[in-house]
Amino acid sequence: GNLEDEVASKKGQISTLETDKGKLKEDVESNEKIISKLTKYKGNLEDEVASKKGQISTLETDKGKLKEDVESNEKIISKLTKYKGNLEDEVGSKKGQISTLETDTGKLKEEAESSEKIISKLTKD
């Protein structure tokens, strides 16, 4: 009976170990599925990060171009403002000349009319 008891005991231990081994295998499979999902998620995040870094780079390039455009346009505006000021000065000067010429023309007309009257009187006599 003693040997039979020992065999039965060992068979019980084997059964327990088989059960434990089965549970460990299930845990491993479950963890491997989780690892697979995490790896896929990590890959997706890495792709997203790479994409966003590309977008940032593009935006920085665009920002640089816009800054250059603004600086260029500001220089043009400055030149146009100066040119406009020069033209306004020129217009003012020419308006002054026109006014002077109108005054001179008026005086000459008066002188001419006066001379014509004198001529007219002289020719009557």
Side-chain angles (χ1 to χ4, degrees):
N2 233 358
L3 205 55
E4 287 170 352
D5 288 345
E6 204 175 303
V7 166
S9 171
K10 288 191 177 171
K11 282 185 177 177
Q13 288 175 0
I14 289 168
S15 175
T16 300
L17 290 174
E18 292 283 343
T19 302
D20 290 349
K21 188 175 98 176
K23 285 180 184 170
L24 287 174
K25 275 187 175 180
E26 285 174 16
D27 285 351
V28 165
E29 286 173 13
S30 171
N31 285 338
E32 283 175 342
K33 284 180 186 171
I34 293 170
I35 289 168
S36 173
K37 286 180 183 173
L38 290 175
T39 302
K40 187 177 177 185
Y41 182 57
K42 180 184 166 211
N44 290 343
L45 285 178
E46 286 170 342
D47 291 347
E48 196 177 314
V49 164
S51 168
K52 288 186 176 173
K53 280 184 177 176
Q55 291 174 11
I56 287 169
S57 175
T58 300
L59 289 173
E60 284 174 350
T61 300
D62 291 349
K63 180 181 163 189
K65 288 178 186 170
L66 286 173
K67 274 187 169 179
E68 287 173 14
D69 286 351
V70 165
E71 288 168 8
S72 170
N73 286 343
E74 284 174 341
K75 286 177 187 170
I76 293 169
I77 288 168
S78 174
K79 286 179 184 174
L80 290 175
T81 301
K82 190 175 177 184
Y83 182 58
K84 180 183 168 222
N86 290 343
L87 285 178
E88 287 170 343
D89 291 348
E90 198 176 311
V91 164
S93 169
K94 289 185 176 174
K95 280 184 177 176
Q97 291 173 10
I98 290 169
S99 176
T100 301
L101 289 174
E102 285 173 348
T103 303
D104 292 350
T105 303
K107 285 179 185 170
L108 287 174
K109 278 184 180 174
E110 285 175 15
E111 289 174 14
E113 287 171 9
S114 174
S115 296
E116 283 174 342
K117 285 180 184 170
I118 293 171
I119 292 168
S120 173
K121 281 182 184 174
L122 291 175
T123 46
K124 275 185 185 173
D125 297 342

